[in-house]
Each structure stands twice: as structure tokens, then as C-alpha cells.
Amino acid sequence: MFSNIRKAVHKSQNLEAAWRVIYRNGKYSRSDDVRQAIEEFSQDPSKHLRSIQRRLSRGKFEFGLARGAPIQKRDGKGKSTGKIRPIVIASLEARIVQRAILNVLVDIPSLASYVNTPHSFGGLRKVRSPNKQVDDSISAVPAAIKAVLNEIGGGACWVATADITGFFTKISKSTVLDIIRGAVADNDLMALLEAGIKVELENLNELQKFADQFPIEDIGVAQGNSLSPLLGNILLAAFDASMNEGDCRCIRYIDDFIILAPTKKAANARLRRAKKMLEEFDMKLAPDKSAKQAQEVSKGFEFLGIEISPGFVRPAKKARIKFLSSIDAQLDISKSAIAGLRHGHKLDPKLALIATLKRIDGMIDGWGKHYWFCNDRRLFHTIDEKIRAAIGAYLGAYSYTRTQLPDGKRHLPLGLTNLGELERSQFTYPKAVTCGTSADTA
């Protein structure tokens, strides 16, 4: 029924690989709906994947309606700027199929030049942590940072960072689809791809004044769709090539890029070229996130949330503050919930001590692994000390609440199951009957 390349999308192995990526990226989502969908799907993934496969193989799969989430943009002090990031949240099944399509596209030889580019990262590349024995897909940020360090090692002395404002909202679907169609020449795959990047929102009326910022027309692709970074790469292929001519380098990670050059003059000239080329796509640089002119590498700079200075590669200050604040927030919520036991309130099991500490440990582990390539161990030790101090204060509050509770309720803050309070469908022992003696039986 379908071409071989279209059939590759719904192969079991491909769908399973797509699910693993979606699961890994979504299980710690800030969205309760996303986490719940992940949890429900993971109860029997084989069953759900077979269902998706059947519908894809019969041409019956529908991506359905998505939800628009207007995420408020904030300045360096955490205050709302009045602008939003228009995130599109598709169904879990839709996201799996979108990822499966991407897996097929990136393996097509005629698209290799858009995928395996030496200076463009984000959403496509996979790198391996050196301390892993097996292939473990991680963020492409380390690959981009390594490329930056290589340029510094090669003699780049001047740097300019920039951010393309509203990048995904400026990508023309039709323009990119025409390029892919010319490279692939497969109508079956193109029909599925076109359906996979189409945006239809179920809550368009709820979005009110922000509705026109979501990519429901030809211009704009969904931020949140795993296909979008590839579409951006295809659109900016000429930009990447031109920006890396001669002795200057431009490392791009989706909508963030950094120019590295041997001289200030060369870096500033390349920054002007970037602005001019991006105007062709109606794209501009974010004034609050883009350098006005180049600065010396030796003075240190930030790129992709990483602080790079002579001798050090570490998480940027903003990232560190945000991480510690998230730890404090989790502990504070749990502390308040546990204190409520003194006033007769019921404790949500997720906010009990054991569950909270387990969640905190997961946050620490995830954050640490995200920055596996950073080299400032002293900084990480300092963060550890701050976390231990916060947990110490939390345990102190737990201990105080525990002493204020009656003996029969001191287990409650821990969140342990109380056997005596479990619902039971208990058996009833039969009423006593008079039994005859052995002599009577004889």
C-alpha cells in the first residue's frame, strides 16, 4: 500500500525507538497532563505501539488536535516581559509518530547535508557521555559547547553571541516541504510529514490575544514538535554555510548562535552578515539576548546556559539559581503540607518526606547528568553543600511536626503505608459449632 520509505515509519523498531525518546524527554515534564499520559502509556507500551502501528499501516492514523500553551517569557530578574513562547502540546501518540518520521528523515542520504552539518546542533545530533558504557542519547548542548572550545583552541580570540527571536514562528512550512519533496520524491512520506507538522489547536479561543502567535497557518512550525529543528536546519542551510566561510565560525543551536573569530573586526562583520541574511526570512535578533558587538574570549562569556571562561566550563549563574530555587520550592511545599498534619489536614502522599526526598534526588541526578561535561568540581561541591543545608532545615521542620503529633500518627509525615488503615474485604471466621468427640465418630 505504501512506499518502502513510508513503511519504515511504522516499523516496530522505529516506533519503539521513538517512544523511548519521548518517554525520556517527557517523564519529568512540568505539565501534569504530559506526565500522566507518559505514565499511562508506559503501563503497556507494546500494546499502545501496536495500535499506532496498525493505524499507520492502514493509513488510518490521525494526529488530532493539539493544545496551545502560552509560556510567559521572563527577564533576567524573573519578571514577565509580557511576551510568550507559543508551545504546542500534541497528543502523546502524535509526538511518537512525529519522532518516528524524524528518525526516517535523518537517515535519507539526500537529506544528509541538512542533518550532519558540522556547525549546527540541537534536536538532531546525539553525543555520548564519555563515562557511559552504552549509547545514551543526551542533549546536543555538549556537542555545541565542545565545538566552541575547539574553535577557541584553534585560535579564536573574539566572540559574539546572539538569539533569533521567534525563530519557529518564522519558518515557512511550504518552503521547507518543497525542499524536502525535491530531495526525497516520495509522496507517501510527504503526505504523512505534512500532516505531522500541521497545527490545529483545540483551545484556540482560550488563547485570546496570543492566538495569532501560534503557527496555525503556513508561516511557523510548532515549538515542541521534534520535527521542527530539522525544518529549521533545512531553512537555514545557506545561512550556516555562509556564516562559516573563511576564518570565522558560527556555531548554531536551533535559534541561538555564537560567532568565533580571530579578530574583533571579523567577528563584528560576521554579526552584521547574520542580521542581513536573517532579514530574508523576516527573522531578527533578540536585542536583550544578542551582543551589540564582539568581546574578547579571555573575558568569559555564556552560551546555551553554559559559562565559559579561561580554565572553566560550568553551568551559568542563572541556571544554578533556578536549580536551587526549584529544590527549595519542592521542600517548602512538602514542609507546609507536613505541618498541616498538626491541624488535622490530610497529607498528599506525593508531599510526604520519603516521596519528596526521592523526587529531590531525581532532580539532582538529572541536573548533574545534564552538565556532565562541565569541569568546575568546586562549584558542584558548593551546590551540594547548599542542597544539604536546605534538606537539613527541611528535616528539622519534619522532626518538629512529628513530635507534635499523637503517637499513632507520627508515621504520617513519612508517607509510609499504614496497614491498619488499608481497606479490606476481610473474611469472617465461621461461628463456633459443637463438634463431636472421636469416640462419637467411632
Side-chain angles (χ1 to χ4, degrees):
M1 179 178 179
F2 292 116
S3 64
N4 289 334
I5 195 169
R6 165 61 175 78
K7 290 179 181 178
V9 174
H10 64 253
K11 283 186 176 180
S12 298
Q13 186 177 8
N14 185 35
L15 289 173
E16 289 168 1
W19 155 242
R20 286 194 296 271
V21 173
I22 298 301
Y23 172 78
R24 185 168 54 246
N25 293 339
K27 64 179 179 177
Y28 295 122
S29 171
R30 294 181 181 179
S31 168
D32 291 337
D33 292 339
V34 170
R35 292 197 306 274
Q36 183 178 347
I38 290 284
E39 177 63 26
E40 292 175 356
F41 197 97
S42 63
Q43 297 301 312
D44 193 349
S46 296
K47 172 186 174 182
H48 296 303
L49 290 175
R50 285 196 300 271
S51 174
I52 293 174
Q53 184 180 43
R54 282 195 299 272
R55 282 173 281 155
L56 281 171
S57 64
R58 297 169 182 172
K60 300 295 184 181
F61 182 85
E62 295 183 1
F63 287 91
L65 300 178
R67 285 189 62 82
I71 305 301
Q72 292 288 333
K73 290 185 177 181
R74 301 187 180 279
D75 59 21
K77 297 181 179 179
K79 295 182 179 180
S80 175
T81 62
K83 299 179 181 179
I84 66 157
R85 191 180 300 278
I87 303 297
V88 175
I89 304 176
S91 70
L92 180 58
E93 288 192 341
R95 296 201 303 278
I96 291 172
V97 176
Q98 288 164 352
R99 184 73 201 193
I101 296 171
L102 176 66
N103 291 345
V104 171
L105 289 174
V106 297
D107 282 337
I108 297 176
S110 55
L111 291 177
S113 61
Y114 300 110
V115 178
N116 301 314
T117 56
H119 306 114
S120 178
F121 304 84
L124 300 175
R125 284 179 174 267
K126 305 293 182 190
V127 294
R128 179 186 291 184
S129 168
N131 60 347
K132 297 289 184 181
Q133 298 301 314
V134 296
D135 195 12
D136 184 23
S137 298
I138 59 174
S139 168
V141 168
I145 296 300
K146 187 65 170 63
V148 171
L149 295 174
N150 287 342
E151 294 304 321
I152 294 174
C157 298
W158 291 85
V159 59
T161 58
D163 175 273
I164 305 172
T165 186
F167 175 63
F168 288 112
T169 66
K170 299 296 184 179
I171 297 174
S172 168
K173 297 184 186 73
S174 58
T175 298
V176 178
L177 286 173
D178 285 345
I179 295 172
I180 298 176
R181 189 175 290 107
V184 177
D186 188 289
N187 291 333
D188 290 340
L189 181 63
M190 291 306 303
L192 187 63
L193 172 60
E194 188 168 357
I197 65 174
K198 185 177 181 180
V199 177
E200 293 183 291
L201 302 177
E202 64 180 15
N203 64 330
L204 194 59
N205 291 335
E206 298 174 17
L207 299 173
Q208 298 179 0
K209 66 178 182 179
F210 299 122
D212 61 353
Q213 296 187 44
F214 284 83
I216 57 177
E217 304 296 340
D218 175 59
I219 301 299
V221 296
Q223 187 168 349
N225 186 329
S226 55
L227 286 160
S228 294
L230 174 60
L231 304 185
N233 259 25
I234 292 172
L235 187 69
L236 294 187
F239 172 87
D240 290 333
S242 177
M243 290 293 291
N244 283 283
E245 293 174 346
D247 56 2
C248 293
R249 291 293 169 265
C250 175
I251 308 301
R252 184 173 62 82
Y253 186 93
I254 305 181
D255 54 355
D256 291 285
F257 65 88
I258 182 170
I259 296 168
L260 298 123
T263 66
K264 181 178 182 179
K265 181 178 180 180
N268 285 334
R270 201 56 55 103
L271 186 60
R272 290 193 296 272
R273 180 187 297 189
K275 293 177 181 178
K276 185 175 181 180
M277 292 193 70
L278 290 172
E279 286 177 356
E280 298 176 13
F281 306 108
D282 194 28
M283 296 180 182
K284 298 179 180 179
L285 299 186
D288 56 331
K289 296 181 179 179
S290 303
K292 300 295 187 295
Q293 60 179 357
Q295 68 175 55
E296 294 178 78
V297 167
S298 60
K299 293 183 178 179
F301 59 93
E302 290 184 13
F303 183 54
L304 303 178
I306 303 299
E307 181 182 310
I308 300 175
S309 58
F312 293 106
V313 178
R314 53 196 169 202
K317 183 178 180 180
K318 183 178 179 180
R320 304 194 303 261
I321 292 175
K322 183 177 180 180
F323 172 60
L324 290 172
S325 295
S326 67
I327 296 289
D328 288 338
Q330 290 291 326
L331 294 175
D332 288 342
I333 292 172
S334 174
K335 191 189 307 180
S336 297
I338 290 174
L341 290 170
R342 303 202 308 266
H343 308 291
H345 299 163
K346 189 175 181 180
L347 178 64
D348 184 338
K350 293 185 294 185
L351 300 178
L353 184 139
I354 292 176
T356 296
L357 292 181
K358 184 176 181 181
R359 187 163 56 253
I360 293 294
D361 183 56
M363 293 169 63
I364 296 170
D365 183 65
W367 197 80
K369 286 179 178 177
H370 182 74
Y371 293 106
W372 61 262
F373 55 94
C374 293
N375 64 7
D376 192 348
R377 287 191 174 274
R378 180 177 294 182
L379 174 67
F380 288 112
H381 287 313
T382 299
I383 293 175
D384 284 334
E385 291 172 1
K386 291 181 178 180
I387 293 173
R388 285 194 290 267
I391 291 177
Y394 168 74
L395 293 176
Y398 150 77
S399 297
Y400 174 75
T401 295
R402 186 176 182 279
T403 61
Q404 301 301 303
L405 297 174
D407 289 343
K409 294 188 175 182
R410 290 185 175 178
H411 66 285
L412 293 179
L414 290 172
L416 292 174
T417 299
N418 189 17
L419 296 176
E421 296 177 359
L422 288 176
E423 292 186 9
R424 299 180 182 280
S425 299
Q426 55 195 23
F427 294 148
T428 301
Y429 191 83
K431 294 181 179 180
V433 297
T434 303
C435 298
T437 66
S438 58
D440 293 336
T441 303

